[in-house]
Amino acid sequence: MPELPEVEVVRAGLAPAMTGARISSVDVLDERALTRHLPGAADFVGRLEGAEVQSVARRGKFLWMPLAASDSGDPAHAVVGHLGMSGQLLLRRPDAAPERHERVRMIVEHPRHGELAVVFSDQRTFGSLAIDALVPTPDGRAAGWGTDAAMVPTQVAHIARDPLDPAFDDDLLRAALRRRGSAIKRALLDQTLISGVGNIYADESLWASRIHPETSASALSTPAVRRLMAEVRAVLHKALAEGGTSFDAQYVNVNGQAGYFAHSLNAYGRGGEPCPRCGGPIRREAFMNRSSHYCPRCQRRR
C-alpha cells in the first residue's frame, strides 16, 4: 500500500498541474471509485464540472484538492483521494488512450499548462475519490502538507498529523505512547496517533533506531522516542528523495515512473539476509496479516 512518501510524490506531481486549474469535464467509468462519495456519480460530476482547484494538499496517506468557493455561498469543499492498495493519479494528454484500470478521468484547463487529463486508475478498486466538506482544524494550524489553510476534509479530520507536518507535536506523541501498552510498531501504524507510516517505513525506522518492534510503547523513554522520531523523519525524507518504494507496477508517480527506495531498504523484505549493520540475519515474523523485519542482534527486546 502506498505510504507517506509515495503519496507525497503524487501530490507534488499533481500540484503544478492542478493548482489554479478549472475542471472542464468528468467521466466516471466505474462507480466503485466513488465508494466514499455517497450521493453517487451524477452528483460527483455535476459538482466538479466548472470548479476551480485551489491547491493540492496531503495528510498522511490522504490527498485533497480544495475547490474555490461557489457564488451560492455553499460551505467549502474539496476532492478527497485515497490510493488504497493500487490507486494511481496520472497526468496524461487529453486525447491519451484509456489506462488499463482507468476508473475516473477529469479534463482540466490550466492557465499556463493548457489542457490535461487527470486519470484515476486502480487495479484492486480499494482506492476512492469523493467530494467532501472542509472543516476547521482543532488547533488552527494549516491542515497538512501543501496548504496554508486551516481547513481539513471531514473524511480526513480523524487522521493524525504526519511526522513531516510542521504542526506535528513530538511531546504529544510521547504523552500518548505513555498510555499505550501495545507494541511500538502497532503504535506507529495507528493512523489516529501518527499518520503516513506504514509497514515498510515502520520496519526501517525501528531498525535505524535499534528498537525491537515488540517493545511496549509505554516503556520507551523520552530520549528513545526522540531518537525514533528522528529516524522516522530521516527514512521518510530519504524515501521521498528516491521517489518512494516500488515493488511492482502498482505504485508510480503522476508520469507513470516507479520509485527506487526499495534498493535502500535495510530491514524490510530482507528476511534471512545479513543485517547491513552487524552482519547477523534479518528475522521475518508474522505481524497483523503482514510481516515484521528486524535484526535480533541490533534490536534487542528489553
Side-chain angles (χ1 to χ4, degrees):
M1 177 181 290
E3 301 178 22
L4 185 155
E6 292 77 47
V7 180
E8 174 56 26
V9 167
V10 173
R11 187 209 67 80
L14 285 175
M18 295 299 291
T19 302
R22 186 170 297 278
I23 302 171
S24 57
S25 68
V26 181
D27 190 8
V28 178
L29 304 173
D30 189 337
E31 290 201 39
R32 290 179 295 177
L34 304 181
T35 53
R36 293 175 182 266
H37 188 78
L38 299 182
D43 180 83
F44 183 82
V45 172
R47 295 171 67 182
L48 275 189
E49 290 186 338
E52 181 182 325
V53 176
Q54 293 182 313
S55 62
V56 184
R58 179 195 55 75
R59 178 184 290 196
K61 304 175 188 180
F62 279 87
L63 289 166
W64 70 91
M65 294 179 279
L67 303 174
S70 65
D71 297 334
S72 63
D74 291 338
H77 285 78
V79 183
V80 181
H82 193 284
L83 301 181
M85 294 290 290
S86 58
Q88 301 172 349
L89 279 164
L90 307 168
L91 294 177
R92 294 290 186 257
R93 299 188 316 273
D95 58 350
E99 299 295 320
R100 183 179 179 187
H101 303 289
E102 185 167 325
R103 311 298 178 188
V104 178
R105 176 173 292 222
M106 294 182 285
I107 303 298
V108 304
E109 297 176 2
H110 192 276
R112 187 170 62 181
H113 303 299
E115 197 174 53
L116 295 166
V118 181
V119 173
F120 180 64
S121 175
D122 190 4
Q123 179 179 342
R124 298 190 180 184
T125 67
F126 293 137
S128 63
L129 298 176
I131 301 174
D132 191 25
L134 293 167
V135 295
T137 57
D139 57 6
R141 304 283 297 274
W145 199 265
T147 180
D148 294 327
M151 301 287 286
V152 62
T154 64
Q155 295 183 14
V156 187
H158 69 288
I159 299 295
R161 293 185 180 274
D162 63 62
L164 301 188
D165 189 325
F168 187 91
D169 192 323
D170 285 17
D171 291 333
L172 286 179
L173 175 66
R174 173 67 186 108
L177 292 178
R178 285 197 183 109
R179 303 188 293 270
R180 298 284 177 121
S182 59
I184 183 58
K185 182 172 178 180
R186 287 179 180 267
L188 287 176
L189 298 181
D190 184 345
Q191 301 297 296
T192 64
L193 186 64
I194 174 174
S195 67
V197 181
N199 204 38
I200 297 173
Y201 301 112
D203 280 356
E204 290 299 297
S205 301
L206 290 167
W207 178 89
S209 55
R210 297 174 180 258
I211 296 173
H212 192 286
E214 289 298 322
T215 300
S216 172
S218 61
L220 288 179
S221 65
T222 297
V225 173
R226 289 175 178 164
R227 185 173 76 251
L228 173 60
M229 290 310 300
E231 296 295 353
V232 166
R233 292 186 174 102
V235 167
L236 293 176
H237 278 300
K238 182 172 175 59
L240 271 173
E242 297 185 8
T245 304
S246 299
F247 293 110
D248 51 38
Q250 291 186 349
Y251 161 67
V252 293
N253 65 16
V254 296
N255 298 315
Q257 299 167 326
Y260 53 93
F261 186 68
H263 301 293
S264 301
L265 295 172
N266 292 300
Y268 183 85
R270 300 193 62 212
E273 298 180 29
C275 170
R277 187 165 47 212
C278 74
I282 295 291
R283 182 174 296 173
R284 175 182 178 273
E285 292 184 353
F287 175 81
M288 295 174 60
N289 298 320
R290 60 193 93 177
S291 298
S292 270
H293 303 81
Y294 65 97
C295 175
R297 187 181 296 175
C298 292
Q299 298 167 260
R300 296 183 183 274
R301 187 171 182 179
R302 305 184 187 282

